[in-house]
Each structure stands twice: as structure tokens, then as C-alpha cells.
Amino acid sequence: MAGKAGATPTTYAPSPTTQKTKSLVFKNDDVDWVRPDKRGFQQCRPAFFRTGAVNAASGSAYAEFGNTKVIVSVFGPRESKKAMMYSDVGRLNCNVSYTTFATPIRGQGSDHKEFSSMLHKSLEGAIILETFPKTTVDVFALILESGGSDLPVVISCASVALADAGIMMYDLVASVSVSCIGKNLIIDPILEEESCQDGSLMITCMPSRYEVTQLTVTGEWSAPKISEGVQLCLDACSKLAKIMRSCLKESASSLEE
Amino acid sequence: MVGLSLGEKHFIQGGIAQDLRCDGRKRLTYRPIYVETGVIPQANGSARVRMGATDVIASVKAELGKPNPFQPDKGKVSIFVDCSPTAAPTFEGRGGEELSTELSAALHRCLLGGKSGAGAGIDLSSLVVVEGKICWDLYIDGLVVSSDGNLLDALGAAIKAALSNTGIPRVSVAASAPGDDEPEVDISDEEFLQFDTSGVPVIVTLTKVGKHYIVDATTEEESQMSSAVSISINRQGHICGLTKRGGAGVDPSIILDMISVAKHVSEQLLNQLDSEIAAAEAVNEES
């Protein structure tokens, strides 16, 4: 699958219009610094999506961004558990887990509670829960290989899987993160960059509606820097959504044939 | 959850739109904050913070441990929050567990800064005793005793107060051969090192109800929120962390506006909190 991603380089790096700030960002001592994978500071990894990765699921998607590989399957809508109280809107249940071999050091492969709740919070605003009352939609994400920016990839992939399952949504949810290293903003960081970052900012948004469903910031940021990072991410998100949409169109047209 | 009638909901929303909330506050006014320090004698530092009916306790315990091999020059800090079912019946079982993880993750993000330690409220390198061998492990535990909204801000304030109350015993390392994996240490019972807490940020949560946002929302007000943004801001006015709650989407320009409002509010909150902590410490020393 990696070969296919390389053959059609679908990057979603923000357009040059936002790069006017670039000269400002680069005015510091570590100009000569090069990213480990030779990308530009504001250049994203090629994104690859494919739907229908799991047969048993009502919808599923596989995503590959560089070394980050995730698989998300969506089950349902199916009847909520008996113990649950009656609810006239649908429920969303999210679960994110790592495989034991996903990380450089062999992990426990257990559920990632923080990511699960983040995934839930980023998606619930986009799904029209009123369309499936009394039922639950399960979203299970598995990170096959962790290569940095894991959560943004999981979120984007999950929204493609939800669309594949035919769950009604207001818009696709795209997610991008930037890392702050020194004075530079680095988009779509890989694992090495994430381990030495000073701060990070992650946005999940619905690009067509221009709404942010989730935003997290760590590390020390000044207000102008945050707005710069937000703009950078939003621009990349809208481009990423186009790639996601074209993947969905492709799978839909291949079904018709 | 809070059971509110339609009339009550309209009353809350209408009040917020007119800048006069149910308890007479304006949109950007906090409830009075009461700080008490040194409430748990067994801990190295502790504090209790009350904001209206919200009541939280934070404790700091320090233990000697081994630093992470990837970061030999840094100590370790872990934050746990416990939402006791005594505070609200919804905290029992999974509901409380979910809220606890969410609060712990948000506090972690707001107080500990990036992976490299930049922007951290707690200087991790000050926790090292012998580089690569011995460091202090700080365990920060938050307990929600009673909940009436705005838990994150209260917990943030309690942790700040607990840290300024914390004394870490002075450790003297016995001279030993280099390469010795476990140098002998002597923990002093009398000399304590105080923490520099000037860098610890405060957390300001802005809750969006209708078109407006309010600070320090009560449980009733929180039930009417569409989304909330928690921003931690330090003395310098820098943002140290940000988390969003609630699934509803928000326009990016509104978030940026919220950040500037939070910055303004944080200055007053920092000053108020600092004077409250100083007063609490003074009472402590007298007794």
C-alpha cells in the first residue's frame, strides 16, 4: 500500500499564501536545521486513504501518512446495551488502541483512554446523532504503526470510515497538528520531532462549515503564534478534506461499475 | 445530570445574554475563592480550594525515584484526579472514571508543558538529585469533594496553592565512586526546599452559552453550554495549554477572541489567587 501512496503523492500542505509568515518564522538562529525526512517546515507527509479495509464492519478505512498507519472500523448503528438509559439521540462509542508492535519499544497494546475521549469529542459535533435514536455507533481505531501525529491521523481516518458506513454527518472531520520547536512551527510532525517538541497544537475541524470541533495546545505559546498555528492547521485541514473526499468518491464510483 | 425545566433554561440563557447571571454575577466575574493550605499533614504540600459550592483538595507527595533514561536531567511529575462518588452520584463507576481521565489529561496538558519541558509550570530539572540516577517523583493528587461546576479551574488553583505549600526535604548525597548505580543519600528532616511557583499558570475556563461566554460556570450553567475552552495562562501572559470541551463546533475567530478574553481575566485571577495563597500561608505559620 505504501507504493500506491508514493505513486500518487497526495499532499495537503498549506498553500503558499500562508507562507508569507514564513520569513518571519525563520528569522532565528536555527535556520539551517533540516527535518529528518527532508520535508519543508510547512510541508505535510503524503496522505493515503482507502475505504473498505474490514469486511465485517459497516464501514472502515485505512490511512497511511508516512510511517503512521491506522485502521478504523465502524460498527452499527446497532441497539444500545440494555443497561443504557433510553435516549432519543444516538450514542457514539469510540475506542483507540495501539498494537503491541506499534511503538519502538514494545508496548502494552492497551486502550488509549485519552485518545478515545479526544476522538469522541472531535467526532460527536460532526455526526447528526438525531438520525439514529436508541442506537449506538461504535468506532474502533487501531494504530498499526506509530510514526508521529497519531491522533490527527486517527481522527481523519475515523471520519472517512463513518462516511463509508453511511452515518449522517454535517461535514467530514479533518485533523492536523503542528509542533513548535525553537521558534519554528512544524506541520505534521513525525515521532522524532514530537519527542523533542517544545509545544504542540492540534486542530480538528469541519472545513466546509469552517468550524473547529476540537483544539488542544501544550507548551508555552504567545497569542500571535497560536493564531499563526491555527491558520496553518485550518488551511492544511481544508486540503486534507479534499483528499478524503476524493477517496470516498473513488470508492463510490468503483462500486457503481 | 441536572434536571431543569424549560423556564429555568430560558432564565439562565436570558440572564447570560443580559450580563446578569442567576447569582447576581456578571459574565466575567468569579465566585469568591477561599484557599486553605496545609490541610493534609502526611503530604509534602496540600491545599483546599472552594469556589461557591465547588470544593476540591490537592495534595503533593514527593518520593525519591529514578529518572527516565531518555530524560536523565529531569524529575517526574504525575497528576491524578479522583472524582469521588460522595460529590455526586453520577461520579460512580464509569461516569466518574471518564471525568477523572479528562480532568487529569487537561491538567497534565495545562501544567506540564511540551515534551521537552518548555513552558512547564513546574521546573522539572529542579527535581533532579543526581543526574540520571536519583530524582524526585512528584505525585499530585486532586480530589473533588463537592462539585458545582468549573472543576478544572478549581483544581488548577488548588494545585498551584498546594505547590507553594510544598516543602521538599534537602537531600545530601554521600560521596561515592563514579559509576555507582545507587549512591547513598541522606534525607534531611529539618531542611526543606521551597518551590518556585511563580511560573505555575492559572486555568481559565470560558463556557459558551448562546452567543456569549462566561467564566466560573455553575453546574446549571454548564448544562446549557454548547462548548467550553480551558486556557492556562502564566504571569507573562503566555498560553501554556488549551483544551476544548463539548463537541459543538466553534468558529476559529471565536476561539482566538476567547483566548484574548481569557488573558485579560487571568491577570485578575492570578493576583487574587496569589494574595489568597499568601494569606493562607500566613495563617498556617501563625498556628
Side-chain angles (χ1 to χ4, degrees), chain B:
Chain B
M1 278 292 116
V2 201
L4 287 178
S5 70
L6 197 64
E8 285 172 302
K9 285 179 189 169
H10 283 309
F11 188 74
I12 291 173
Q13 285 163 7
I16 288 166
Q18 289 176 33
D19 203 5
L20 182 65
R21 288 152 69 178
C22 300
D23 43 11
R25 284 183 289 156
K26 284 178 176 282
R27 282 199 286 265
L28 298 182
T29 326
Y30 268 82
R31 289 172 284 190
I33 302 173
Y34 300 101
V35 180
E36 228 177 296
T37 53
V39 288
I40 301 169
Q42 288 99 326
N44 294 71
S46 61
R48 174 183 179 192
V49 166
R50 278 184 295 151
M51 285 166 140
T54 298
D55 194 338
V56 296
I57 292 176
S59 87
V60 179
K61 275 212 176 212
E63 281 172 20
L64 279 178
K66 220 172 150 58
N68 189 327
F70 297 106
Q71 291 178 318
D73 57 341
K74 289 195 175 74
K76 288 180 286 187
V77 179
S78 29
I79 301 179
F80 299 100
V81 177
D82 183 25
C83 296
S84 147
T86 51
T90 46
F91 289 170
E92 213 211 319
R94 243 191 106 169
E97 202 181 306
E98 250 168 49
L99 186 66
S100 301
T101 6
E102 196 181 325
L103 288 171
S104 314
L107 285 170
H108 211 274
R109 198 174 290 130
C110 289
L111 296 174
L112 298 184
K115 282 234 174 80
S116 71
I122 304 160
D123 185 13
L124 294 182
S125 43
S126 70
L127 295 172
V128 171
V129 180
V130 181
E131 192 175 317
K133 284 171 190 154
I134 303 174
C135 71
W136 284 107
D137 291 346
L138 281 193
Y139 294 96
I140 302 177
D141 290 285
L143 173 72
V144 178
V145 182
S146 156
S147 154
D148 188 22
N150 207 25
L151 288 177
L152 196 60
D153 293 21
L155 283 167
I159 289 174
K160 191 177 162 76
L163 281 173
S164 42
N165 178 244
T166 301
I168 290 189
R170 187 186 290 281
V171 175
S172 50
V173 183
S176 60
D180 187 359
D181 263 355
E182 278 169 32
E184 275 183 36
V185 291
D186 182 36
I187 302 171
S188 156
D189 305 335
E190 282 136 26
E191 274 183 288
F192 290 95
L193 296 174
Q194 277 290 321
F195 248 123
D196 177 27
T197 52
S198 57
V200 180
V202 286
I203 302 173
V204 176
T205 303
L206 289 171
T207 311
K208 193 163 173 274
V209 179
K211 278 184 187 149
H212 302 276
Y213 16 91
I214 52 174
V215 295
D216 196 15
T218 61
T219 313
E220 278 90 18
E221 287 164 335
E222 271 180 358
S223 70
Q224 298 307 306
M225 77 170 190
S226 55
S227 55
V229 176
S230 302
I231 304 156
S232 84
I233 298 169
N234 65 9
R235 261 269 170 242
Q236 285 82 40
H238 285 175
I239 289 118
C240 303
L242 189 153
T243 25
K244 185 177 168 293
R245 274 190 300 151
V250 183
D251 196 274
S253 62
I254 292 180
I255 290 188
L256 295 179
D257 187 45
M258 280 173 147
I259 291 175
S260 67
V261 170
K263 242 172 141 173
H264 180 71
V265 173
S266 73
E267 276 174 37
Q268 301 163 9
L269 182 63
L270 260 175
N271 289 336
Q272 196 189 345
L273 200 58
D274 277 349
S275 62
E276 281 289 335
I277 292 172
E281 289 282 287
V283 171
N284 236 359
E285 269 158 37
E286 269 172 35
S287 58

